[in-house]
Amino acid sequence: MHTSDKLVLKYPASWHGDMWREALPSGNGTVGVAVLGSIKQETVIINHNRLWHWGRKDELPDVGYKLKETRALMDENRFLEASWNLTNALREHGYGTTLEAPMPLADLKITMPCETGFKNYLRELAVDTGEITVAWQDENNEYKRQVFVSRADDIIVCRIRAIHEVKADIELDVHRDERNQVPERFRETAGTKRYEVDSKDGFICYGITHEDGTDCGVVLKVIAGDIRKSGNCLKAESGGDILILAKVFVQGCFNESCAEIRKVLDAIDMDYDTLLERHVNIHRPMFRSVEFQLGTGDKNTCNEILLLDAYGNAASDELVEKMWAYGRYLFISATSPTSLPCNMYGLWHGDYGLIWSHYMANENIQMIYWHTMTGGLIEFNKSLFRYYNERMGEFRENARKLYGCRGIYVPAGTTPGIAYPNQIVPVIMNWTGAAGWLARHYYDYYLYTGDSEFLENDALPFMYETALFYEDFLVNVNGKYKCYPSVSPENTPENFMPEDGRQIPHPMPTTINATMDIVIIKELFSNLIASAGKLGMYEDKIQVWKDILDNLPDYAVNEDGAVKEWIEPVFKDRYDHRHLSHIYPVFPGNEINEENSPELFKAFEIAVNKRKLGAQTGWSLMHMAAIYARFGNGDKALECLDLLAQSGILNNFYTLHNDWRNMGVTLNMREAPIQMDANMGWTNAVQEMLLYNSPRLIKLLPALPKRWKMGKARNWRWIAGTVDFEWNESGFSAVFTACRDAAAGVKIPKMFATCSISVNNSEPEIYSCNELYMMDVKAGDVVRIEGSV
């Protein structure tokens, strides 16, 4: 194990009343456990990604006729009335669909002796294995609890060991909230909990009836020297180890599921180490599909010290590297190519009604998946595509009933059982860009894999349905297409903010020709024309799409020299906001860069530099870091990481939406929700700083911060293969390996004067730092680039 693959903590979870927020996580993509790390009574919260509750799904009324009214109001500059027109129509029909929330399944409680107080407490998470360890000393005995969730056997495995005798009371129970209560609403929708405790064979069967009428629960087997029953608890004693095996069931029948799982657990004839090895053989290759090292030396500093150092100064190389790895760990532990996509809490939560726990497609779900292409986790995108593909029927109904359009309308927020509009406010209802933004992820998957079958069967159909909506939605006015209503998530133009300074969320977000909407439409039709032509599909549509593409409005620049967030002149830019939606052509898009549009590129950079700090959030700081990387400003990108480390990272490295302490860096909110999109955003930002990745242009070390003196990366992905590279203060080297035929320009790092390039060990060519090497390779080719100061 690399020392950087281990998170070390000196304190247990301590956030009073909500200790699950600081738990250590393990998961196999479907089942997750959150370990608090308490000595006397340990709590392991057990969750399953298919357990959601409390959603409400109403019949969506047909209010498509309202679009004409909305536009008429906007044509008369009655923008506030127009903003509420669709929303009010839904409310007048009594429409009240609400999203589901993830439901905690159960708590595994382990009570152990605490005779003299503890010494040498430690809790650790090995991110390359998913194993959590809690260790301490009590007088002459030394204890260790180890937990992981197996990908190989789909079970939770826990070992309790001591150098002398070990005792533990083991129980399964319903999860309780921060007041140590089970919410009344949960008791109303879930049936009475059920237990079967068998001391002879060491089993506890626990279950509840879910609100859909099916049963869910956990079956647990204890293996120890002596086992006795005490109420709903098993008392276990052993001169060696106590082993606990647990398996989750959902959407089943209590009696049948328990009987089936007992047989499964009884058939497992392996010790802890063997079970762990079987799991690690699957987990570790995914986690290490790419590698990254920053600086040198052992990296075994505890989390608390790393965060204290960052709080008083800046994020160390060790913290940067560990957070990069941790984002990958959380992602692969929370999802898989065959499960539900990763959400903002992963598989680790301890509230029944989590805030912002849904799949949010106006920024957050995209950020969660940005790192996967360069980061070698491309196949994990399949769960994202499956999730949205399976809801196409609802999305078509949304488009027809909300806007009278063909194609699809994807609500910004969805949950597994709710794909209809749900956040009934103008800032969400009037934004039509979710499907278009998601379409980029479909197309990127095709670009990185070259999978023509996926392009034909998944990407193009989704993009086509999205295009159908825009064909009907866009309005041609005097030869130019107009997009309205149009929203730039989740901002309001400055001249429509309350004059008295009142803090009102989203006072008037509905506009005409928000830059982001135009960018998304432009990107969608460009990709459709390029890819459909390759397969000979939708030939009758090509000219329609070209006409739309050729007649979209141009980007606009304001009096500050910044690209405008709203192209229509009546709307004034507001810099005091967290979203950077209109920077899309630079990031996450690839349309605008310094090489192809230097003047416009500069105008986008000014727009970013105008953004105000105190309006940010954890995820927006990571979005901004990636954007600064695209502008080649590594020091500013790293500063965004520093700011997040100072304002929004808990001691278990979970990232927060905001700093609740009002330190002036982020939004001032009393709540501070966990949002793991910033964890994955950190991973992506680091990758953006070291490799600019696009179909036609690759930049090596495009935004290397001055503080990062040396480092290396292995097996990172470019559009047609892999790349290894490393650097120090005197030079750099990179090796591109092509997996298929491709052509792309490679830009050499600016800090190096000259470099040599060889292909398949042929004689090298010499390039200056200002030149672009045109890499035209066949599958199997190896291109080596070496540079010096």
Side-chain angles (χ1 to χ4, degrees), residues 375-414:
L377 298 172
I378 298 172
E379 292 305 300
F380 278 71
N381 284 272
K382 288 182 176 178
S383 62
L384 183 71
F385 305 143
R386 184 183 309 104
Y387 176 83
Y388 286 101
N389 287 348
E390 289 176 351
R391 290 153 180 81
M392 292 295 281
E394 291 96 319
F395 298 156
R396 291 189 191 99
E397 186 179 348
N398 294 340
R400 178 174 56 84
K401 289 186 173 180
L402 290 179
Y403 289 107
C405 295
R406 296 170 299 162
I408 58 174
Y409 170 91
V410 176
T414 61

Side-chain angles (χ1 to χ4, degrees), residues 306-319:
L306 288 172
L307 290 175
L308 280 172
D309 287 347
Y311 192 81
N313 185 18
S316 65
D317 287 357
E318 181 177 355
L319 179 59

Side-chain angles (χ1 to χ4, degrees), residues 491 494 558-563 565 573-578 582 606-607 610-613 615-616:
N491 204 357
E494 184 65 39
N558 67 18
E559 62 277 6
D560 296 323
V563 166
E565 191 160 352
D573 283 292
R574 176 176 174 239
Y575 300 127
D576 194 16
H577 202 260
R578 60 200 177 277
H582 59 308
I606 292 171
K610 288 285 185 180
R611 236 36 176 198
K612 295 182 180 179
L613 182 62
Q616 302 310 307

Side-chain angles (χ1 to χ4, degrees), residues 548-569:
I548 292 173
L549 193 58
D550 290 344
N551 292 288
L552 289 170
D554 297 327
Y555 305 138
V557 177
N558 67 18
E559 62 277 6
D560 296 323
V563 166
K564 283 175 57 59
E565 191 160 352
W566 300 275
I567 294 171
E568 201 73 7

